[in-house]
Amino acid sequence: MLNIDAIYMREINMPLAHPFETSFGVTTSRRILLIELKSEGLTAWGECVAGEHPYFSDEMIDTAWIITETELAPRLLDANLQHAGDVPDLLKQVRGHRMAKAALENAVWDLESQVKKVSLASLLGGSREIIPCGVSIGIQPTLEKVLEKIETELNAGYQRIKLKCKPGWDSHIFEAVRKRWPDILLSCDANSAYRMKDFDHIASWDQFKLLMIEQPLWYDDFYFHSMLQKRIETAICLDESIRNRRDALAAIDMESCQIINIKVGRVGGFSEAIAVHNAAAERGIPVWCGGMLETGIGRAHNIALSSLPNFSLPGDVSASARYWAQDIIEPEVTVSKTGEIMVPTDIGSGYGILRDRIEKLTVRKQMLRAKASVTA
Ligand code: OSB
Ligand code: MG
């Protein structure tokens, strides 16, 4: 039913409209691996969210490229797939490389939604018609600049402001923001920049009434986050630590977090993202959809995922124009004055792909075909 005739791998290079700084570094331009599946006249797309460097995760675009080319794509091309949900089983012999796997699996979900003539959101089990949106604001050169950025995003309607933080860029920023906006939904994301010696310091942020503190400690930790959570009132949200459903169960059971950020690439694809979503929902833990500076292809997939019922907090899924001078989809993703994105109801992802523009941005390309496919 889902026979893949060919897989095109492409690297595109796209400069960001604004540099994005986190506790692990600055990104000014993205190198992105796109997956294009060809199946019986249909075309489906996936985006790999692995970064330029292995800083957020141990994957990067170059490892994703080689593992896709040599291990993952051949398995997909040889398979007799009935359902996109069968992809994880097909790829499970390969350990890790979840972002590379997700790009392929998500493209198969896109394909299946086209074959079944339903929206991607409904195929995933989504029910929301609109999704609430927040923004992630990188570390800025000055306090004035961060206040300016927040003002712009609040005026645009965004419902939640998340500030990237690190030692030296934290309390005085939160204090200034809270002084000016006492009541906004405000959170922070440390991307693992703190250690046990910082527990008292982090506890002092309770006064700022943050909605959550995202991934304050080690990227692979549950135990010390649970120790920290016992010491503070503010909810901890885990991002990097949650690789799959079992991690979510462990983190919830150990009380390492009260909120989970779901990134479809980080957990290895839509199947696992849905599993994490469901595990959290059954245990009363709210989730929200994280972002990885995606182009419109990954962004459209994030929107579809965010339509599932337990995505009850505003996500990091925001307008195309915040990232790109021009996106590679049409229409671009826009956010309403009330900080919401309409979930498309059209067949597939609901966005058109600007193929000519992608072609212009392409710096390398590779076509892979099924071994069994015989050309007459
Ligand atoms: O930790 O959420 C993160 C971007 C790159 C890597 C990690 C993260 C982020 C963001 C940006 O916070 C979210 C976005 O796409 O706007
Ligand atoms: Mg994060």
Side-chain angles (χ1 to χ4, degrees):
M1 179 193 158
L2 303 170
N3 291 317
I4 315 294
D5 304 321
I7 299 176
Y8 288 87
M9 300 171 59
R10 250 197 210 82
E11 177 181 338
I12 60 168
N13 289 3
M14 277 174 85
L16 283 168
H18 311 280
F20 188 77
E21 181 170 351
T22 68
S23 64
F24 55 75
V26 188
T27 308
T28 53
S29 185
R30 297 288 335 274
R31 295 174 55 207
I32 297 168
L33 165 59
L34 296 180
I35 297 293
E36 180 182 5
L37 300 182
K38 296 288 186 187
S39 170
E40 296 167 9
L42 296 174
T43 300
W45 294 84
E47 174 171 344
C48 179
V49 300
E52 295 69 40
H53 300 280
Y55 299 165
F56 172 82
S57 94
D58 47 17
E59 289 184 82
M60 63 187 291
I61 176 171
D62 299 299
T63 64
W65 185 284
I66 192 129
I67 214 77
T68 302
E69 182 179 359
T70 61
E71 295 285 343
L72 306 178
R75 283 172 167 79
L76 202 59
L77 286 163
D78 279 348
N80 271 318
L81 278 175
Q82 293 299 315
H83 174 40
D86 301 339
V87 173
D89 206 43
L90 201 66
L91 305 180
K92 71 173 186 230
Q93 190 180 15
V94 176
R95 291 186 180 172
H97 299 282
R98 291 181 301 280
M99 292 174 176
K101 290 174 177 173
L104 284 173
E105 188 195 324
N106 297 353
V108 179
W109 282 90
D110 179 348
L111 174 65
E112 183 171 344
S113 68
Q114 294 181 46
V115 169
K116 292 187 169 159
K117 299 195 190 318
V118 297
S119 70
L120 177 59
S122 68
L123 185 67
L124 294 173
S127 53
R128 293 173 185 277
E129 291 170 7
I130 50 174
I131 60 166
C133 305
V135 289
S136 173
I137 297 182
I139 292 166
Q140 302 296 316
T142 61
L143 168 64
E144 289 64 43
K145 200 95 195 147
V146 79
L147 296 175
E148 225 171 82
K149 286 247 174 196
I150 295 171
E151 177 151 51
T152 304
E153 306 299 8
L154 290 173
N155 286 338
Y158 286 104
Q159 297 184 16
R160 185 226 61 204
I161 302 290
K162 159 174 142 184
L163 299 175
K164 290 290 186 178
C165 66
K166 63 178 181 183
W169 185 268
D170 48 26
S171 308
H172 66 292
I173 307 296
F174 307 151
E175 189 173 5
V177 174
R178 266 301 178 228
K179 202 168 155 205
R180 179 127 165 227
W181 294 284
D183 300 320
I184 58 168
L185 287 185
L186 182 67
S187 69
C188 70
D189 184 358
N191 289 110
S192 308
Y194 297 91
R195 296 295 174 257
M196 282 172 76
K197 64 175 165 43
D198 303 313
F199 277 19
D200 286 339
H201 178 59
I202 294 172
S204 77
W205 302 346
D206 280 343
Q207 65 184 301
F208 303 122
K209 304 284 177 232
L210 302 175
L211 178 63
M212 68 190 98
I213 300 171
E214 188 175 337
Q215 200 73 37
L217 308 174
W218 297 268
Y219 69 90
D220 55 359
D221 170 75
F222 298 117
Y223 178 71
F224 294 100
H225 279 95
S226 117
M227 285 182 55
L228 176 61
Q229 184 68 88
K230 284 184 184 49
R231 294 262 297 270
I232 65 177
E233 280 165 24
T234 310
I236 291 177
C237 169
L238 289 178
D239 174 356
E240 284 90 326
S241 292
I242 307 292
R243 300 162 302 176
N244 51 43
R245 177 175 183 274
R246 285 179 301 101
D247 282 347
L249 294 176
I252 294 168
D253 202 53
M254 292 171 73
E255 299 180 34
S256 309
C257 66
Q258 296 174 8
I259 296 173
I260 292 175
N261 165 337
I262 297 182
K263 288 179 179 162
V264 60
R266 196 194 65 225
V267 302
F270 280 134
S271 299
E272 198 66 28
I274 294 166
V276 172
H277 164 276
N278 293 346
E282 285 157 16
R283 288 158 185 82
I285 298 289
V287 305
W288 53 278
C289 185
M292 291 289 283
L293 313 176
E294 289 93 343
T295 73
I297 291 174
R299 199 163 295 282
H301 288 182
N302 286 342
I303 293 167
L305 181 66
S306 301
S307 72
L308 271 69
N310 193 36
F311 281 86
S312 52
L313 294 170
D316 278 348
V317 184
S318 48
S320 298
R322 292 191 66 248
Y323 305 86
W324 317 110
Q326 194 195 346
D327 205 337
I328 57 174
I329 56 162
E330 194 179 53
E332 298 205 338
V333 174
T334 54
V335 170
S336 76
K337 292 265 179 292
T338 51
E340 289 157 327
I341 295 175
M342 304 268 294
V343 179
T345 52
D346 299 349
I347 290 171
S349 81
Y351 293 88
I353 305 296
L354 296 176
R355 172 172 273 298
D356 289 351
R357 180 156 166 72
I358 291 177
E359 214 56 70
K360 284 202 191 86
L361 296 166
T362 299
V363 297
R364 60 171 159 162
K365 192 169 166 179
Q366 166 85 34
M367 191 204 39
L368 303 158
R369 264 187 192 288
K371 251 194 263 124
S373 82
V374 184
T375 41

